[in-house]
Amino acid sequence: VQLQQWGVGLLKPSETLSLTCAVSGGPFSGFYWSWVRQSPGKGLEYIGGMLHGESATYNPSLKSRLSISIDTSKQHVSLRLSSVTAADTAVYYCARGVVVGGTYLFDYWGQGTLATVSS
Amino acid sequence: EIVLTQSPATLSLSPGETATLSCRASQSVGTSVAWYQQRPGQAPRFLMYDAVKRAADMPARFSGSGSGTDFTLTISSLEPEDFAVYYCQHRDSWPMFTFGQGTKLEV
């Protein structure tokens, strides 16, 4: 399973961050396709995710600015974060959410995309 | 909201030694804890699930223990590639996932 992601890396405040993650080498349905970000020098923050056929779910702290969608035909997962500020500067990862044993976790990750917000 | 607190923030050891990393949950989470390893410039890598079970292909020197609120990741006979940042994670009330703040294992 491979997750290959891309998107614009440099944004100005108030712009919209758009990222796409392409999934290959494994099934697409039945997994919780998610986004996790990591601010410079910081830990991991869950952003949101989506199961095919269901509504996306979001971190409440970002919900008003966030949109996650999936295109099953292309096996793509997309993220849009509007009205970005410097606080949104981070490496953004797409990840595959799955239940393993009794634990809901992320077993495959994209390579990460650095999004920098600067005027 | 469940908070995961990891300690220590930084652990300084030498190759061949044993590392003991702690993750404490603000309330009981049973055994539903995963651990990840993140090397510099890389994405996190899934290591452990159900607190005590290794992911496929993970070396036996990695072991986990704990249940309820206290969890431990132990890495015995440290190899050079083991020096990285380690995170614990739990799925909180849907749809939230919570990560600890990480422990940096350094030489």
Side-chain angles (χ1 to χ4, degrees):
Chain A
V1 178
Q2 291 191 337
L3 281 64
Q4 182 72 32
Q5 51 183 109
W6 66 88
V8 175
L10 182 60
L11 300 99
K12 290 181 168 50
S14 80
E15 292 185 335
T16 296
L17 169 66
S18 294
L19 299 173
T20 301
C21 173
V23 180
S24 62
F28 190 74
S29 296
F31 297 99
Y32 189 68
W33 299 103
S34 303
W35 292 92
V36 176
R37 71 180 182 181
Q38 186 170 36
S39 300
K42 302 293 186 182
L44 302 168
E45 179 186 24
Y46 171 75
I47 295 174
M50 189 170 182
L51 279 163
H52 171 59
E54 299 189 11
S55 300
T57 54
Y58 304 118
N59 185 321
S61 68
L62 299 168
K63 185 176 182 179
S64 63
R65 300 189 291 127
L66 188 59
S67 174
I68 293 174
S69 61
I70 61 176
D71 183 334
T72 304
S73 65
K74 295 181 179 179
Q75 298 200 165
H76 285 184
V77 187
S78 297
L79 172 147
R80 287 174 59 85
L81 181 65
S82 63
S83 304
V84 297
T85 70
D88 295 312
T89 293
V91 175
Y92 287 75
Y93 295 100
C94 60
R96 189 177 84 167
V98 64
V99 176
V100 181
T103 304
Y104 217 130
L105 52 82
F106 303 104
D107 62 347
Y108 287 96
W109 296 67
Q111 80 277 18
T113 302
L114 175 61
T116 302
V117 182
S118 175
S119 55
Chain B
E1 176 189 348
I2 292 174
V3 177
L4 299 178
T5 302
Q6 293 185 241
S7 62
T10 303
L11 184 58
S12 299
L13 292 170
S14 299
E17 294 189 299
T18 295
T20 303
L21 288 66
S22 174
C23 174
R24 175 164 289 179
S26 58
Q27 58 186 278
S28 178
V29 297
T31 57
S32 298
V33 167
W35 288 91
Y36 301 84
Q37 175 194 68
Q38 187 177 34
R39 294 174 176 146
Q42 296 186 14
R45 174 191 180 191
F46 159 48
L47 291 180
M48 309 283 298
Y49 67 100
D50 289 354
V52 301
K53 299 174 183 177
R54 282 189 300 275
D57 299 329
M58 287 307 304
R61 64 179 183 275
F62 288 86
S63 63
S65 64
S67 65
T69 59
D70 291 301
F71 302 89
T72 301
L73 176 69
T74 301
I75 313 169
S76 59
S77 300
L78 284 166
E79 298 284 344
E81 62 268 24
D82 298 336
F83 292 90
V85 180
Y86 292 85
Y87 294 94
C88 57
Q89 174 253 312
H90 169 74
R91 195 216 78 187
D92 200 344
S93 300
W94 188 261
M96 281 300 296
F97 293 79
T98 300
F99 293 92
Q101 81 279 21
T103 290
K104 181 179 181 180
L105 178 56
E106 66 175 20
V107 179

